[in-house]
Amino acid sequence: MFQDRLSRTPLCLTLPGLDGSGPNHWQTLWEQQRPNVERVELGCWSRPSRNLWIARLERRIAEARGPVVLVAHSLSCHLVAWWAALAGEGASRPVVGAMLVAPPDLDRVSVDPRIAEFAPSPRSVLPFPTVVVASRDDPWCTTTRAREMAGNWLAAFSDMGEAGHINDLSGLGHWPAGQRVLDHLLDHVCARGARRIDDETVRFQPEQIVPVPA
């Protein structure tokens, strides 16, 4: 049964945000712990280029030659939105789902100038099942704005309680609660047939993700 599930599980590509994800970041730990989880080396981690990141993400998705789930943190949540907007209808063919964790509010006046070129993030609906995961005390985004972004993208929403920016400083370790959210998304995708990546009618309904208590 496990091997059958594994054979149907899409490749999960992790996308770190500004300054990358260090050795204690949950993305790094998932890459070491979970099968079918690999990082996309976007490069220029401290001076990100939107167009360069889009091009490198596009190339890595094409190399996968199969269904992909994107697991993005922080700035890379907006990278996913930009890539999907530029890819258009074709985005839903290679990518069958996305987990967007702690997207920063790019509309803030005090946004870091290094990420200004990612603003404004596209508000168009993402053409694949998506869940936005947010924290109530994220210094880079309020819960209200995170919910607004999830609504724009027609994404489910998961409230992680007070978890800061959901990064290595949050002390989450392997972040079991986040892994449960990812498993929920993978179960949804696999149940609908991950290899039937031409199914553009799949949507991840908000009620399918339950809040995780603080």
Side-chain angles (χ1 to χ4, degrees):
M1 181 65 70
F2 173 77
Q3 290 298 329
D4 179 65
R5 160 66 191 274
L6 184 59
S7 68
R8 295 184 293 112
T9 300
L11 174 64
C12 294
L13 295 178
T14 58
L15 303 167
L18 182 67
D19 293 327
S21 294
N24 297 318
H25 196 287
W26 56 268
Q27 285 184 319
T28 304
L29 299 176
W30 287 11
E31 293 157 13
Q32 298 169 354
Q33 174 190 14
R34 297 178 62 108
N36 289 2
V37 177
E38 299 177 8
R39 176 169 301 188
V40 179
E41 291 298 336
L42 300 169
C44 303
W45 295 113
S46 297
R47 292 286 177 182
S49 164
R50 185 192 65 185
N51 291 342
L52 177 62
W53 277 20
I54 290 172
R56 289 181 173 173
L57 174 57
E58 172 71 25
R59 183 170 67 241
R60 184 63 186 87
I61 291 172
E63 291 172 352
R65 299 184 180 277
V68 168
V69 167
L70 302 176
V71 183
H73 178 250
S74 194
L75 181 61
S76 277
C77 297
H78 299 286
L79 165 64
V80 172
W82 273 111
W83 172 80
L86 294 174
E89 295 182 358
S92 62
R93 299 190 64 83
V95 176
V96 296
M99 179 177 173
L100 308 181
V101 180
D105 182 1
L106 296 184
D107 293 332
R108 290 180 7 167
V109 175
S110 59
V111 69
D112 190 317
R114 293 179 296 168
I115 64 176
E117 70 174 73
F118 285 79
S121 183
R123 298 185 178 185
S124 52
V125 171
L126 295 177
F128 35 75
T130 302
V131 56
V132 170
V133 183
S135 165
R136 298 174 193 170
D137 61 347
D138 188 338
W140 297 104
C141 186
T142 66
T143 304
T144 298
R145 277 294 293 131
R147 286 187 180 275
E148 289 176 355
M149 285 186 276
N152 291 334
W153 296 330
L154 197 61
F157 184 84
S158 183
D159 182 347
M160 280 291 138
E162 296 182 353
H165 195 45
I166 316 183
N167 55 9
D168 50 351
L169 296 179
S170 302
L172 299 171
H174 290 271
W175 193 27
Q179 295 200 52
R180 288 195 293 272
V181 173
L182 177 59
D183 287 337
H184 193 119
L185 175 61
L186 291 173
D187 285 343
H188 174 78
V189 170
C190 290
R192 299 298 294 264
R195 296 189 182 280
R196 291 179 52 222
I197 53 179
D198 59 335
D199 184 3
E200 298 180 2
T201 65
V202 176
R203 290 291 183 270
F204 210 35
Q205 299 301 322
E207 62 268 24
Q208 291 181 293
I209 287 291
V210 297
V212 178

